[in-house]
Amino acid sequence: MRPLLNKRENFLWIITLALFIIFCLSQYFNQIFRQVTGILLIFAMPGILILSRYKTEEIIAFSSVISVSLVIILTFFLNIWIGIRIDDVFLDKLFPVLLVGIFLYKIILSKNQKKTLAKPSKIGLYFILILLVSVVFRVLIISKIGTLIGTDIAKFATISHAMKLKEGITPDLRPYDLASSFFYFPLSFTLPLIIETLGIDAITSITYFSFLFNILTIVAFYILVSKILDHKKALYATFFYSMFFDVSLDYLMSRGVFSFAIAFLPCFLCMYLLIEYFNGVKKRNLLFFSFLFLFLTHWFLFFVLFAFLISLFLYEYYSERGFSKSKGIIIEILKIIPLILISTLPFLILFGPIYPTQEIVKAADWKIYEIDIERASFLNKIFAIIFENFATIIGSVSYSLGFLVSILTFNELVKNKRLVIAIFFILLIFSSFFYIHSITWKRSADYTKIVYPISFSFLFNHPLFIGISFISSPFVQNTPVWYYYNIPDRVEGKYQFFFDVVDDNELKAFEFIKENISENATFLLDDGGAGCLGGQPFSHGERIFPLTSRKLFYFTNSCPLKIDWDDYQHRVDLYRNISINPDNDEILNELKDNYNVTHIYIGPVHVGLNPELFKRSKNYELVYHEKEIYIFEII
Amino acid sequence: MKKKSISSKLSKVRGKWKFFILLIVLIIILILPSMVVTKYSTIKGSLICRKIETTELTCKFVCSIHPENPKNTTKELYGRVIVFHSLWTAMFDKTYRMQSSNTNLFDIELPRRNYEYSIVVSMYDDESNIGVSDKIKLVC
């Protein structure tokens, strides 16, 4: 009789169980052990156990996608439906359920499976080198910026921390935020919430898992292009993608649009699996998890998949005068959709009925931010689609070159299976134009850039070009990896809309708050009063809540959030009046009595709250001042 | 050399036509959602602001907007006035009832910071018509 698990699988199960035991016990002796083992169990082991018989590069690319999807789905059921509280020992309850489930699944699979899916393959040395270089650069960026910063980071760290304090996934964030309900793609707040139970703050966890997924996106890109290009060209394309055309990195580094950035990983994986299906290789489990992960992360990239599907249909019709494979793909996707809906049912039932952007007030609010794009000239829109990247808004040198090279090498792109990519490229350029009017759909303009590294691999497929690109890139503006690495030097002491970094002084101020200011304190700061897209972090004080649990008089009006509109506008008015005159007794009393404001936080960049006016006043006592950071207590 | 029959040539031509028709249909399917997700502005309105007073602490402005709402059957609409101090951070945010085809006036008082604020007015009515004024600068 054949054993249920092979030697390799037995070994993996022993490792996983050992990690789980260390994880449970470490809460009594070492928090760091608990965090490390917890992270491995959240991001790696469940996926590795499921994929133990797949190819190595598939294990690398898919493990985290599967692990995180399972952890999030199980959290929905355990917390929302069964009512198990999200607390410090929540994962101790989740992992046994998850591991037993995987074990049962493996037994059922083992009975149904006649052969092993694939022998473990060796991953190429050159690919490892490319991956190492990419990882090194990203580690350098993290070490320089510390943590990501941006609207989305502030918004979702706040949401996740509010849920942590409320001990569960809930759309009602009061009293920690104005939102009485909201709707957003669930990974953006559920994953940091789960990691918070390990004692890692939401901002740090978002930074690190975003970069982890960014690196895995490079692996996903490699396995995708390996299906279209020969091995050598696939390596070059991956190198150029990771160093010059990493759209996902653009989104991470500009305003921390992390959930959208992460969605490129499942998007590339889905594209890879669709090609595999087209070639007759069915990997239903992987397709399900990739679609599920995309559903959990960000729905906009389903547009890319849709365009890619159409490209596959057209390619099949052009080459084979039929649709038999395409029909098979559609049937597979139709089978997956109900499973995804069932898996996310607790989330959909709880958050689904709330979609505040449908309100006319919100729609008008939203319009404020997209009017410039709506009124952009034809030429500006074309430029955005072809040359710009989301981060810099101005034309990017690498993207301009990418487009030029794509045109020059278009004859290569239409050859053989690569015709799919050529059709995809044309469809994206064409369709982007119709979507670009809206600020959020403007992102469609960035999808075309996925093709540029593939085109680069046709022209620059010699090691010499890698050397040249390395030497020249520090001198080229808007070349993603170098550009982002240099941001902290360029923005020091200056407020910039797109690129901003946190300096250590702010973290020192937050430490001071934790140690010296009451847990019941509420801070007024310069960051609130934003429009539909959410507060632009300005003085960076929005991190006070997720990092110290002290409440903010922070009146973010983000479109996905449903808030009391009158209260929001009244808060903006109070903020304006106290900015004009900190000694306005009527306003000050209202802030103190009705909103429990106890402190004023003024960061290095300020407009409304002027520290000089507060210093002069008798109503405030300066309790902290270090460099350009001021904390006043209301007397 | 073997000559191809007219019918095979025709079938090729038909095949190409089919392909192009299919291409057009699929492209239409691809761009169709853009019509749903993009609501174009219907209400137009030109915004003008004038500084009327400067003190040690504040600047006062009087602004006017003249909304034109061709699709509206009633003249009532709402005007949400926002003054931003960073790109998305509001220093002033109030909603006024306005009259279409009339000049509507409102006052704004801002903290004096030797700073360039920006002001914009979004207009909407009960019939889901929306419009946004141009963004203009207010120096204070």
Side-chain angles (χ1 to χ4, degrees):
Chain A
M1 200 178 122
R2 197 161 59 87
L4 288 177
L5 303 172
N6 62 29
K7 269 186 190 174
R8 191 187 186 201
E9 286 172 314
N10 284 333
F11 176 69
L12 287 171
W13 272 102
I14 291 167
I15 298 257
T16 309
L17 293 174
L19 281 173
F20 177 63
I21 292 166
I22 295 170
F23 174 74
C24 290
L25 294 177
S26 58
Q27 64 174 305
Y28 302 109
F29 62 90
N30 192 314
Q31 183 68 5
I32 301 291
F33 264 127
R34 185 169 166 82
Q35 289 173 351
V36 172
T37 50
I39 291 293
L40 280 171
L41 287 165
I42 291 172
F43 285 94
M45 295 321 291
I48 291 172
L49 289 174
I50 290 174
L51 298 177
S52 52
R53 297 179 186 184
Y54 281 73
K55 289 181 205 164
T56 311
E57 55 267 39
E58 284 181 332
I59 294 176
I60 298 171
F62 285 94
S63 286
S64 290
V65 166
I66 293 176
S67 305
V68 169
S69 301
L70 286 172
V71 168
I72 290 177
I73 293 301
L74 208 54
T75 302
F76 289 157
F77 283 93
L78 292 180
N79 180 256
I80 299 173
W81 274 9
I82 301 177
I84 298 175
R85 287 190 314 171
I86 298 261
D87 58 18
D88 296 341
V89 290
F90 173 74
L91 287 169
D92 300 55
K93 296 157 196 159
L94 181 141
F95 288 134
V97 180
L98 183 56
L99 296 178
V100 168
I102 293 171
F103 188 74
L104 292 173
Y105 165 79
K106 292 293 279 189
I107 290 171
I108 295 164
L109 185 79
S110 181
K111 278 184 182 170
N112 294 338
Q113 205 171 285
K114 288 174 187 167
K115 284 181 183 176
T116 51
L117 287 165
K119 285 181 183 174
S121 60
K122 283 184 182 171
I123 200 153
L125 178 68
Y126 288 115
F127 175 66
I128 292 173
L129 276 175
I130 289 169
L131 199 59
L132 267 177
V133 171
S134 310
V135 172
V136 165
F137 270 98
R138 279 148 185 84
V139 169
L140 286 173
I141 290 172
I142 295 181
S143 62
K144 217 166 177 187
I145 63 167
T147 56
L148 285 171
I149 189 161
T151 314
D152 278 17
I153 309 285
K155 191 178 355 183
F156 293 111
T158 300
I159 290 173
S160 131
H161 193 62
M163 287 185 186
K164 172 77 171 50
L165 297 178
K166 296 190 85 169
E167 299 186 326
I169 297 170
T170 169
D172 184 354
L173 304 176
R174 295 168 298 178
Y176 304 105
D177 192 277
L178 287 191
S180 57
S181 64
F182 75 100
F183 181 89
Y184 206 75
F185 316 116
L187 178 137
S188 52
F189 54 89
T190 314
L191 189 54
L193 169 65
I194 294 165
I195 299 174
E196 268 209 80
T197 63
L198 295 172
I200 302 170
D201 70 78
I203 289 171
T204 307
S205 78
I206 290 171
T207 303
Y208 282 88
F209 71 65
S210 297
F211 273 91
L212 167 73
F213 287 128
N214 175 263
I215 289 161
L216 293 178
T217 309
I218 297 166
V219 182
F221 183 83
Y222 170 70
I223 62 171
L224 167 65
V225 293
S226 297
K227 291 286 149 198
I228 303 157
L229 304 171
D230 62 49
H231 182 65
K232 188 182 157 195
K233 286 197 178 75
L235 285 171
Y236 278 99
T238 309
F239 169 77
F240 289 120
Y241 169 80
S242 72
M243 299 301 285
F244 301 98
F245 301 103
D246 189 345
V247 186
S248 145
L249 189 65
D250 287 343
Y251 280 88
L252 276 188
M253 296 298 292
S254 57
R255 287 182 275 146
V257 190
F258 69 97
S259 59
F260 186 76
I262 292 170
F264 280 90
L265 169 62
C267 180
F268 288 164
L269 294 177
C270 288
M271 285 163 73
Y272 159 72
L273 291 168
L274 291 176
I275 294 178
E276 284 282 73
Y277 262 81
F278 205 78
N279 294 336
V281 184
K282 291 185 179 178
K283 292 174 181 170
R284 193 170 289 159
N285 296 347
L286 297 187
L287 194 67
F288 165 69
F289 277 111
S290 304
F291 267 85
L292 175 64
F293 193 76
L294 187 53
F295 188 82
L296 294 173
T297 313
H298 209 294
W299 297 353
F300 285 4
L301 279 157
F302 278 118
F303 174 80
V304 177
L305 285 185
F306 188 52
F308 192 68
L309 266 177
I310 290 180
S311 312
L312 280 174
F313 298 166
L314 287 171
Y315 172 72
E316 189 185 1
Y317 188 81
Y318 185 82
S319 59
E320 295 170 28
R321 291 281 182 272
F323 286 115
S324 56
K325 291 174 186 169
S326 305
K327 276 179 198 164
I329 291 174
I330 289 179
I331 290 166
E332 283 301 326
I333 292 171
L334 289 176
K335 281 180 189 168
I336 283 170
I337 291 170
L339 287 177
I340 290 173
L341 295 177
I342 292 166
S343 311
T344 52
L345 207 56
F347 163 76
L348 290 174
I349 290 174
L350 189 61
F351 289 81
I354 311 147
Y355 203 68
T357 41
Q358 299 296 336
E359 295 171 15
I360 180 70
V361 180
K362 289 280 187 185
D365 194 6
W366 190 253
K367 188 54 83 187
I368 290 169
Y369 301 93
E370 58 188 24
I371 197 70
D372 294 337
I373 296 165
E374 191 184 304
R375 291 176 189 171
S377 69
F378 177 82
L379 214 56
N380 279 342
K381 286 172 188 167
I382 293 289
F383 272 25
I385 293 164
I386 297 169
F387 304 126
E388 280 179 11
N389 70 357
F390 180 81
T392 54
I393 298 294
I394 52 166
S396 152
V397 172
S398 51
Y399 288 152
S400 307
L401 268 176
F403 180 72
L404 189 69
V405 170
S406 298
I407 298 299
L408 290 174
T409 59
F410 198 73
N411 62 326
E412 287 290 327
L413 209 58
V414 293
K415 282 179 187 167
N416 310 324
K417 282 181 188 172
R418 299 193 295 247
L419 180 62
V420 177
I421 300 297
I423 299 170
F424 178 60
F425 186 45
I426 294 167
L427 277 182
L428 285 178
I429 288 184
F430 189 77
S431 57
S432 294
F433 190 78
F434 289 89
Y435 286 89
I436 203 166
H437 308 287
S438 145
I439 192 159
T440 189
W441 285 92
K442 183 181 181 291
R443 298 162 201 225
S444 63
D446 288 336
Y447 305 146
T448 49
K449 283 88 182 186
I450 299 167
V451 180
Y452 294 166
I454 297 173
S455 303
F456 254 53
S457 73
F458 299 135
L459 205 61
F460 304 119
N461 51 19
H462 190 279
L464 189 68
F465 289 112
I466 290 187
I468 291 171
S469 64
F470 258 117
I471 294 164
S472 62
S473 56
F475 307 104
V476 181
Q477 274 288 305
N478 307 346
T479 301
V481 171
W482 283 101
Y483 187 64
Y484 297 130
Y485 179 66
N486 287 326
I487 286 172
D489 301 330
R490 289 188 292 104
V491 302
E492 198 177 351
K494 284 186 283 182
Y495 166 73
Q496 298 228 345
F497 169 53
F498 279 107
F499 305 115
D500 225 349
V501 285
V502 181
D503 69 30
D504 292 341
N505 291 313
E506 291 168 59
L507 299 175
K508 275 187 207 164
F510 299 156
E511 279 304 312
F512 172 84
I513 292 169
K514 265 200 250 182
E515 286 166 15
N516 299 287
I517 293 178
S518 160
E519 284 180 10
N520 299 320
T522 300
F523 283 79
L524 168 67
L525 58 146
D526 233 347
D527 281 338
C532 203
L533 294 184
Q536 173 65 19
F538 196 63
S539 68
H540 301 170
E542 87 291 338
R543 303 157 84 86
I544 292 172
F545 175 65
L547 293 178
T548 72
S549 300
R550 270 61 169 182
K551 286 204 271 291
L552 303 178
F553 178 79
Y554 181 54
F555 34 92
T556 178
N557 155 37
S558 171
C559 247
L561 308 181
K562 195 174 177 73
I563 59 166
D564 178 341
W565 196 256
D566 294 333
D567 181 35
Y568 158 73
Q569 289 196 324
H570 184 60
R571 283 174 188 245
V572 179
D573 213 38
L574 292 173
Y575 163 63
R576 180 177 62 91
N577 279 301
I578 207 74
S579 296
I580 290 171
N581 180 10
D583 290 324
N584 183 330
D585 287 338
E586 191 190 332
I587 301 294
L588 187 58
N589 287 336
E590 193 176 351
L591 283 171
K592 279 198 294 187
D593 301 338
N594 295 357
Y595 294 95
N596 303 316
V597 175
T598 55
H599 291 80
I600 313 288
Y601 177 93
I602 305 177
V605 185
H606 50 81
V607 174
L609 304 172
N610 182 348
E612 295 308 315
L613 296 180
F614 284 88
K615 274 200 276 187
R616 268 188 250 156
S617 168
K618 288 175 187 169
N619 291 314
Y620 306 89
E621 185 191 349
L622 183 64
V623 291
Y624 180 88
H625 176 213
E626 180 88 31
K627 295 208 169 163
E628 291 170 293
I629 298 170
Y630 300 83
I631 298 173
F632 295 92
E633 184 175 358
I634 301 175
I635 299 167
Chain B
M1 213 171 101
K2 203 176 176 181
K3 274 192 175 179
K4 284 185 180 175
S5 67
I6 293 173
S7 61
S8 76
K9 278 182 184 174
L10 270 176
S11 72
K12 268 196 173 179
V13 172
R14 277 185 201 137
K16 276 182 187 171
W17 274 109
K18 265 190 196 171
F19 179 75
F20 281 116
I21 291 166
L22 186 73
L23 182 71
I24 290 163
V25 169
L26 289 175
I27 285 174
I28 289 170
I29 292 171
L30 192 69
I31 63 172
L32 216 56
S34 73
M35 312 299 169
V36 181
V37 296
T38 309
K39 284 180 185 167
Y40 290 92
S41 306
T42 50
I43 306 174
K44 311 279 177 208
S46 54
L47 174 69
I48 301 165
C49 287
R50 189 164 55 87
K51 196 189 283 183
I52 52 167
E53 192 186 337
T54 306
T55 67
E56 192 196 342
L57 294 175
T58 66
C59 303
K60 286 181 183 166
F61 297 86
V62 63
C63 298
S64 70
I65 188 153
H66 191 97
E68 290 295 344
N69 188 4
K71 286 192 173 178
N72 200 2
T73 49
T74 60
K75 290 190 86 182
E76 280 273 294
L77 53 85
Y78 300 93
R80 184 172 159 221
V81 181
I82 308 180
V83 178
F84 296 101
H85 71 67
S86 62
L87 197 75
W88 289 341
T89 307
M91 176 54 82
F92 182 97
D93 191 327
K94 281 185 181 170
T95 305
Y96 298 90
R97 279 190 174 256
M98 291 183 175
Q99 290 288 315
S100 176
S101 308
N102 270 340
T103 300
N104 299 272
L105 296 172
F106 47 91
D107 300 321
I108 292 172
E109 189 178 21
L110 297 172
R112 195 172 162 193
R113 297 284 182 270
N114 192 25
Y115 189 80
E116 216 174 57
Y117 299 92
S118 58
I119 179 171
V120 67
V121 181
S122 73
M123 297 155 283
Y124 54 94
D125 61 20
D126 295 328
E127 293 165 18
S128 297
N129 298 304
I130 297 175
V132 178
S133 72
D134 282 329
K135 212 179 274 180
I136 61 172
K137 301 284 179 198
L138 298 177
V139 180
C140 176

